[in-house]
Amino acid sequence: MRLPLSPFVFLVPLFASVAATGSDLPSARVHCTLAASGGDDAPQFLRAVRACPVVTIPASTTIIIQTRLDMTGLRNRHIKLQGKIRFDPDIPYWTGNAFFIPFQTQVTFWLLGGENILFDGGGTLDGAGQAWWDSYVTNTSLLRPITLTIYQAKNALVHSIQMINGPEWFNLVNEGEHVIYKNISISAVSTSNNMPRNSDGWDIYRSNDVTIVDSIIHNDDDCVSFKPNSTNVRVENLDCTGSHGISVGSLGQYPGVYDIVENVFVKNIKMANAQNGARVKAWAGPNVGSGTVKNITFQNFIETAVDNPVVIDQCYMTNTTACAQFPSNIYIQDIWFNNITGTGTRSVVASLLCSPDGRCSNINVNDFSLSYPAGMARYSCQNVNLTGNAASLFSPCTVT
Ligand SMILES: *[C@@H]1O[C@H](CO)[C@@H](O)[C@H](O)[C@H]1NC(C)=O
Ligand SMILES: *[C@@H]1O[C@H](CO)[C@@H](O)[C@H](O)[C@H]1NC(C)=O
Ligand SMILES: *[C@@H]1O[C@H](CO)[C@@H](O)[C@H](O)[C@H]1NC(C)=O
Ligand SMILES: *[C@@H]1O[C@H](CO)[C@@H](O)[C@H](O)[C@H]1NC(C)=O
Ligand SMILES: *[C@@H]1O[C@H](CO)[C@@H](O)[C@H](O)[C@H]1NC(C)=O
Ligand SMILES: *[C@@H]1O[C@H](CO)[C@@H](O)[C@H](O)[C@H]1NC(C)=O
Ligand SMILES: *[C@@H]1O[C@H](CO)[C@@H](O)[C@H](O)[C@H]1NC(C)=O
């Protein structure tokens, strides 16, 4: 038995193990193709993925998902989405049945996990978010599902997929190891006055070795967010519009929990009409957690009309009094902001505000060319000794 090899050379390692151990594959049909049933297509999609190494949803086909997709623990599977998968916005159903993700009280339509997973094909994942955004306006306790959760996956590649109108976050990588996203387009667009909310492009949580490259994102919240215990992450060649930027955190939200974000490399980012550009955010206050942020590089950012192009915020979601009394327990070290150019919408174009007593160390700023078109650009910093050729822009730095 032979699997069709992908035209993309870099996919070969994913499937090399399949080719080498072809005899371990299920004896079932190698290739299954789905057709729309007219009703809930989740059962046939689940059956196909259990039985067939390759499952295709052809270009002319839209399958409708009305019940949750548990595709965990797969091995050597290729889902080829050329058509469309649409998640039916049956809010009462999903309210009781979406999979619960304990972190930040999230839920999801789809858990996809296991070993050697390829999800590609140029097709569309449609979260049917409009109904959710419209309902959220009158019910802000509505739990809106994450569109796709890569869950406990080892060796997963999501390639050439268009994701539209997620009700909430588009992608969560939860407890993953070696997960790659390439050539993804993300877009959340409302046709009513109720705008998309919390439409993060990616959140990474308790995962190691994650790559996100060559993608275009139009959303209203974090473009990419490195949540607790994201390590060895590479993000490169993203074009983000309308977002809250590329963020480490928020970290330290939960008392008694230790959060680590380490070895993150972010390069070649276009950031337009955004709330933030490159950001590190940590909670402070009386009842929060602790942790470390270490070895993070933000490099080659071109920012256009960004409210806060460069940010360290150690008082995230914390008022001034509480932040001064209970400084953040997140220690931030070895951070590089390199080659950051473009325009801010506010006078302060870079704001590196650390909690006192050495919470921030070895913070490097190089090759900044930021302007504030309506006036003079200002740089603020607090409780940090900056290194690099842009450090003088910030001095003097206030100490609290
Ligand atoms: C709001 O959403 C919550 C959570 O999904 C649900 O339990 C509750 O019944 C909804 N409230 C209303 C008024 O619809
Ligand atoms: C990128 O994905 C789109 C579908 O979103 C596809 O049409 C295009 O061919 C892909 N490009 C590459 C280089 O794979
Ligand atoms: C992060 O990893 C550390 C070290 O393994 C662990 O102690 C901590 O509980 C983890 N935190 C989270 C949020 O998973
Ligand atoms: C810092 O992170 C980068 C990118 O992930 C990695 O290549 C490098 O080895 C890390 N440096 C150290 C000292 O761990
Ligand atoms: C700075 O970033 C810009 C935009 O990404 C890039 O074209 C340029 O080569 C970078 N400069 C250096 C010295 O790397
Ligand atoms: C600031 O936050 C603290 C702790 O969360 C809270 O007790 C206090 O009421 C807040 N103060 C103001 C002025 O909001
Ligand atoms: C900055 O450096 C000075 C001199 O080495 C040191 O006394 C001070 O504690 C440092 N401040 C911070 C916030 O690290």
Side-chain angles (χ1 to χ4, degrees):
M1 189 183 323
R2 232 185 131 238
L3 278 174
L5 281 180
S6 158
F8 302 105
V9 170
F10 71 92
L11 299 188
V12 172
L14 260 183
F15 274 81
S17 58
V18 180
T21 60
S23 56
D24 294 343
L25 290 172
S27 55
R29 284 170 303 165
V30 173
H31 206 140
C32 294
T33 301
L34 299 188
S37 67
D40 179 17
D41 292 309
Q44 64 152 334
F45 189 20
L46 286 164
R47 273 197 309 274
V49 164
R50 296 283 166 206
C52 316
V54 183
V55 174
T56 300
I57 296 152
S60 50
T61 300
T62 295
I63 65 167
I64 307 288
I65 302 304
Q66 295 177 341
T67 51
R68 64 187 194 169
L69 294 174
D70 178 356
M71 293 189 189
T72 52
L74 303 176
R75 260 181 79 81
N76 302 333
R77 285 296 182 270
H78 180 182
I79 299 171
K80 206 163 158 183
L81 175 64
Q82 296 168 324
K84 187 190 263 197
I85 297 173
R86 180 177 160 90
F87 291 92
D88 190 33
D90 176 353
I91 292 174
Y93 168 80
W94 294 111
T95 293
N97 295 285
F99 297 103
F100 186 66
I101 306 274
F103 179 66
Q104 291 187 341
T105 324
Q106 297 285 339
V107 299
T108 187
F109 290 134
W110 187 3
L111 297 175
L112 178 61
E115 227 173 289
N116 301 337
I117 314 285
L118 170 58
F119 178 36
D120 69 356
T124 303
L125 261 191
D126 180 356
Q130 189 70 52
W132 293 94
W133 309 325
D134 290 341
S135 298
Y136 185 68
V137 172
T138 51
N139 184 2
T140 52
S141 42
L142 182 64
L143 294 179
R144 294 161 296 145
I146 298 165
T147 305
L148 174 63
T149 299
I150 299 294
Y151 189 78
Q152 297 179 340
K154 190 172 172 191
N155 265 3
L157 172 59
V158 182
H159 189 286
S160 297
I161 297 290
Q162 311 183 46
M163 303 184 174
I164 60 169
N165 299 335
E168 207 238 10
W169 298 356
F170 279 89
N171 292 286
L172 169 64
V173 187
N174 189 308
E175 295 164 22
E177 176 77 35
H178 194 50
V179 177
I180 303 173
Y181 296 82
K182 188 175 165 78
N183 188 32
I184 305 299
S185 92
I186 285 180
S187 165
V189 177
S190 176
T191 54
S192 76
N193 290 330
N194 306 320
M195 291 299 123
R197 296 285 301 274
N198 314 102
S199 59
D200 295 18
W202 285 267
D203 286 87
I204 302 171
Y205 178 62
R206 291 183 170 164
S207 294
N208 181 51
D209 188 5
V210 177
T211 300
I212 300 170
V213 292
D214 305 338
S215 295
I216 300 179
I217 300 93
H218 282 81
N219 70 342
D220 85 310
D221 206 316
D222 292 324
C223 191
V224 182
S225 171
F226 312 107
K227 294 283 199 287
N229 291 18
S230 297
T231 52
N232 301 301
V233 183
R234 185 167 72 95
V235 173
E236 209 166 320
N237 300 331
L238 299 193
D239 189 334
C240 309
T241 303
S243 79
H244 286 184
I246 299 198
S247 302
V248 172
S250 60
L251 301 182
Q253 182 173 359
Y254 298 108
V257 178
Y258 194 83
D259 296 340
I260 299 171
V261 173
E262 210 168 301
N263 303 340
V264 173
F265 191 75
V266 183
K267 189 178 167 188
N268 297 346
I269 304 297
K270 283 190 190 140
M271 185 66 68
N273 306 328
Q275 187 195 72
N276 309 283
R279 175 165 67 152
V280 178
K281 50 177 170 170
W283 293 63
N287 208 16
V288 296
S290 56
T292 53
V293 175
K294 194 171 169 184
N295 186 23
I296 315 292
T297 300
F298 297 100
Q299 186 163 317
N300 302 354
F301 274 57
I302 302 181
E303 309 199 26
T304 310
V306 173
D307 299 343
N308 310 291
V310 171
V311 181
I312 292 178
D313 177 6
Q314 279 199 300
C315 298
Y316 183 69
M317 302 290 274
T318 316
N319 66 47
T320 315
T321 322
C323 194
Q325 197 181 351
F326 305 98
S328 171
N329 299 314
I330 301 288
Y331 283 75
I332 299 175
Q333 69 181 92
D334 309 332
I335 314 291
W336 282 264
F337 295 97
N338 291 338
N339 188 18
I340 314 284
T341 64
T343 56
T345 64
R346 300 178 185 169
S347 175
V348 175
V349 293
S351 167
L352 303 175
L353 305 182
C354 294
S355 289
D357 306 325
R359 256 62 165 190
C360 288
S361 57
N362 192 24
I363 312 293
N364 301 268
V365 287
N366 289 290
D367 304 318
F368 275 37
S369 174
L370 289 166
S371 66
Y372 169 52
M376 195 172 79
R378 295 192 300 125
Y379 297 80
S380 51
C381 61
Q382 186 180 289
N383 301 321
V384 59
N385 289 327
L386 298 170
T387 314
N389 65 23
S392 58
L393 293 169
F394 289 83
S395 61
C397 203
T398 58
V399 177
T400 62

